[in-house]
Amino acid sequence: GVLYEGQGKAEQASEAYQQVPSTVPDQYAMALNNLGVTYYNQGKTEQALELWETVSADIPEQYATAQMNLGMVYDSQGKLEQAIAAWERVPESLPERYASAQYNIGTSYVEQGKPTKAVEAWERIPASASEPYAVAQYNTGLIYEEQGNIDDALVAWERVPKDASEHFYKAQFNIGGAYYKLGETDEAVAVWKNIPESASEQYEMAQTNLSIIAENQEKAKDSGETEQQDGSAEHQEKPSEQKKQE
């Protein structure tokens, strides 16, 4: 079936997948998933959904694939509750798939205007799943910041691992902005100074903010006044990343 798929022979692939016997559970479950994908690509969405619904939970890897597929299709149809229900069935025993499912659940809740439930889903993502964990923590920080909960926003952004460089420096920039908003200018300056040129967008914004702060401090020094923040420094990066993961 896979060979026929690679050759663009969908009908032959379908026939091959249907010949896999149910007495070989692993292969049978894989065939169901593949046949579902073939049907979906042919525009036979309902038939694809019906097949994925039949994949046995006794075959965790294939079951997880089926549930992820169901979720993605339901999501594309705007059926968010059904999508969430499918993703919630992805077993926790498969950390990477589970992380992707929880990430998708969170983004669906954001789309429904339920940020608290989104955060609950994202908090279930294990730190070992580096990419979804990093994006989830970054987004969690944005939600907390939007709610005026700066302390929890800082905690979330601090969790973004350094090896997730793109979101790490986005988080670092926002950490600096949060400190600035709290009136802790020295801490904000320290964070922004550590953003390297390689993080071009965040580096440029950080340098702009550092220049504004330096200018304000110079003006305050010349006038003999205590520095006051005028809110002119750039702050949070929005919107959050919400692309769902397959």
Side-chain angles (χ1 to χ4, degrees), residues 165-221:
S165 59
E166 178 186 355
H167 287 90
F168 176 75
Y169 290 116
K170 284 183 177 181
Q172 290 299 301
F173 177 80
N174 286 0
I175 288 169
Y179 280 136
Y180 184 82
K181 190 173 183 178
L182 290 170
E184 300 176 19
T185 305
D186 290 344
E187 286 80 357
V189 168
V191 172
W192 284 332
K193 280 185 174 180
N194 282 327
I195 295 177
E197 288 187 58
S198 58
S200 57
E201 184 179 353
Q202 288 74 43
Y203 175 78
E204 289 176 10
M205 291 190 293
Q207 291 302 308
T208 297
N209 288 354
L210 290 169
S211 295
I212 291 169
I213 290 171
E215 184 179 339
N216 288 344
Q217 289 175 333
E218 191 63 32
K219 287 179 181 177
K221 181 180 178 181

Side-chain angles (χ1 to χ4, degrees), residues 144-155:
Y144 282 139
E145 191 275 336
E146 195 170 284
Q147 294 173 338
N149 191 343
I150 302 301
D151 288 339
D152 283 344
L154 282 168
V155 170

Side-chain angles (χ1 to χ4, degrees), residues 94-110:
L94 301 171
E96 292 294 330
R97 307 307 297 278
Y98 179 77
S100 293
Q102 293 301 315
Y103 178 80
N104 291 353
I105 290 168
T107 60
S108 290
Y109 279 132
V110 169

